Amino acid sequence: MNNQLSHMLEHWNAHKDDAEWVLGTIYKTEGSAYRKAGAMVLFSDKGDQFGLLSGGCIEADIQRQARKAMVTGKALTLCYDGSDEDDLSFQLGIGCGGKVHIVLQPVTAQNDLGLAKMAAALSRGESGTFAQYIPNTDHAIKARFVSDPAPNHNTALPRHNRKARLVTYGNEEWLETPVQPEQRLLIVGGGLDARPVVAIAKTLGWRVTLCDPRAANARPQHFADVDVFLRGSQTGLRDYVQTHTVDAAILMSHSVTIDADALLALADISLGYLAMLGPVHRRDQVLEKAGLTQAELRTNLAGPAGLDIGGELPESIALGILAEAHASLTRSSGKSISGVL
């Protein structure tokens, strides 16, 4: 299981009546921390854990505290200080050195915190906001999920960049966490080199649609993890992207005609990332075949696709492409964090 919120909730929803549950959420960090505000985990009284709030250093203690919340039926707040030698988190070996503030909320049949509603929205590809009350001394349990207005799939902008924030209403403090469905990737071309792209994307928790009109390609037995297979015309692809949220698209069919048809289908769709495999001269050949210029595309075309990580084999090329896609979707620089490169 990956740590995407939608996957966590899917597993919880399947077992919610079989155990007692507690939702743990980071509501504030100070200094360095492995996860940031809005990160969530679900614990059961049977020892299940869906998600994580650290690199694994403090999860066992959080689960122990979660059992207290189950028994009392009250919300708890915790603080782990990795900079304090006397703090448990320092003794457990937490490596980041910052402070992590966590709220634990029991999840019951009478008050599921809006998790079922949130799970249903994510399964439909909808976004929203999850608001959680941060108790001071009253240990109250209050939370709600509110869906966002339906997006316009033709003009939707990259949507994976909002951060959780603490807000104050009267004398109450609440954490408001933007909730987004997992990224949705369209791959055009189901050859051998698409397999590692699908594998890495699925490891990231992304939903993958694979499109290839050729019967010999994109065979389900070679792409067992693909969520949706598309066969057919440019019109069918256009209809699909107009009625489904597509965050990123990679054209890698090795056919100028197929890539050109796909580019025409995607030309006036706003995506978070649009890439084409192959050298510059092939990119220009595809554009010419499609009767398009780069200026006519609503999304900037990454062609050649990917970050320069020295990739030569399909696996490393896939890694470079998806690293660039991830950075583009999150509006990050894609640069070396340490500056070593």
Side-chain angles (χ1 to χ4, degrees):
M1 196 194 95
N2 64 59
N3 294 293
Q4 286 278 359
L5 179 58
S6 56
H7 291 257
M8 290 167 47
L9 292 176
E10 180 182 339
H11 285 269
W12 163 79
N13 203 34
H15 302 283
K16 64 182 180 181
D17 298 326
D18 303 331
E20 294 185 66
W21 294 90
V22 165
L23 175 68
T25 307
I26 295 177
Y27 67 89
K28 183 171 65 175
T29 62
E30 300 173 60
S32 299
Y34 185 78
R35 300 294 309 276
K36 305 301 182 184
M40 301 179 206
V41 64
L42 281 157
F43 293 111
S44 82
D45 62 346
K46 294 185 177 181
D48 298 303
Q49 177 184 326
F50 302 147
L52 77 167
L53 298 183
S54 77
C57 325
I58 56 177
E59 259 68 15
D61 188 69
I62 299 172
Q63 187 159 34
R64 182 176 65 84
Q65 298 291 341
R67 291 185 181 276
K68 294 182 181 179
M70 290 177 196
V71 172
T72 63
K74 296 179 179 180
L76 298 176
T77 55
L78 311 171
C79 178
Y80 294 92
D81 187 350
S83 65
D84 184 353
E85 294 185 11
D86 295 324
D87 190 85
L88 175 64
S89 57
F90 187 93
Q91 298 168 26
L92 289 172
I94 187 170
C96 297
K99 288 184 180 180
V100 180
H101 299 263
I102 296 167
V103 59
L104 300 177
Q105 297 172 295
V107 183
T108 65
Q110 294 74 31
N111 182 7
D112 75 351
L113 309 179
L115 296 187
K117 183 179 179 181
M118 182 159 55
L122 289 173
S123 71
R124 297 190 297 266
E126 298 171 3
S127 59
T129 299
F130 185 44
Q132 296 165 271
Y133 171 63
I134 308 302
N136 186 2
T137 58
D138 58 4
H139 301 288
I141 304 167
K142 294 186 282 188
R144 59 179 177 268
F145 173 76
V146 179
S147 294
D148 289 339
N152 181 331
H153 297 293
N154 293 332
T155 59
L157 294 173
R159 53 188 174 84
H160 301 280
N161 60 334
R162 297 186 294 162
K163 305 297 183 184
R165 60 180 188 140
L166 282 170
V167 296
T168 301
Y169 297 109
N171 61 351
E172 294 186 346
E173 189 172 41
W174 288 72
L175 176 71
E176 292 186 346
T177 303
V179 173
Q180 307 283 1
E182 62 270 35
Q183 288 93 330
R184 301 194 173 203
L185 171 65
L186 168 67
I187 301 171
V188 176
L192 290 173
D193 56 349
R195 295 185 193 180
V197 179
V198 171
I200 296 173
K202 294 303 294 183
T203 299
L204 292 170
W206 295 9
R207 287 185 61 84
V208 177
T209 297
L210 185 59
C211 175
D212 198 313
R214 299 166 294 191
N217 290 58
R219 293 183 177 181
Q221 61 265 38
H222 296 150
F223 295 95
D225 291 335
V226 165
D227 297 286
V228 178
F229 287 92
L230 292 180
R231 304 279 188 185
S233 64
Q234 170 193 333
T235 302
L237 177 58
R238 182 178 179 80
D239 290 344
Y240 179 84
V241 298
Q242 285 183 324
T243 55
H244 295 75
T245 299
V246 174
D247 297 301
I250 302 170
L251 311 185
M252 52 185 307
S253 71
H254 300 282
S255 162
V256 170
T257 299
I258 292 174
D259 281 359
D261 287 345
L263 199 60
L264 277 168
L266 296 165
D268 60 355
I269 304 294
S270 290
L271 303 170
Y273 180 72
L274 174 61
M276 184 185 300
L277 194 67
V280 171
H281 68 82
R282 185 184 182 280
R283 177 201 67 195
D284 294 341
Q285 187 180 7
V286 171
L287 283 165
E288 183 179 359
K289 178 74 173 179
L292 293 167
T293 65
Q294 291 201 60
E296 292 175 296
L297 300 175
R298 186 166 288 183
T299 306
N300 289 333
L301 177 62
L307 299 180
D308 182 5
I309 61 171
E312 294 184 2
L313 297 175
E315 294 79 7
S316 55
I317 292 170
L319 178 62
I321 294 173
L322 288 173
E324 183 178 56
H326 196 289
S328 183
L329 288 169
T330 57
R331 298 183 179 179
S332 302
S333 69
K335 295 179 180 178
S336 170
I337 295 173
S338 66
V340 68
L341 294 177

